[in-house]
Amino acid sequence: MRKYVFGTGLLSAITGGLTLLRSARSDEPFTWRTALAWLSWGITLALAIGSVVDTRRAARAKMIPLDSPVADRRNDLLRERLRR
């Protein structure tokens, strides 16, 4: 579970969210740029979580979509799982 929680994609999404929260506390008004930043952060977080889910499913020999970033490494992940 550690390798999923401490993945670089998930950590960068969390730190990006913390940065946005810090900027939201300031007295600056909420503009369209701020809305786009929050939308971008939400998409980044969703992609990071989706990658973690796909990696876990591939390691457990379950079906994953072919457009997943780990679809090419599916067999390697399964071999690693079986080796343990």
Side-chain angles (χ1 to χ4, degrees), residues 34-49:
T34 308
L36 284 179
W38 279 104
L39 179 67
S40 172
W41 175 76
I43 291 170
T44 302
L45 184 64
L47 288 172
I49 291 172

Side-chain angles (χ1 to χ4, degrees), residues 68-83:
S68 172
V70 296
D72 296 335
R73 298 181 325 157
R74 180 177 44 207
N75 293 333
D76 297 336
L77 291 169
L78 180 59
R79 265 190 237 114
E80 180 182 330
R81 170 82 175 182
L82 292 174
R83 194 173 348 136

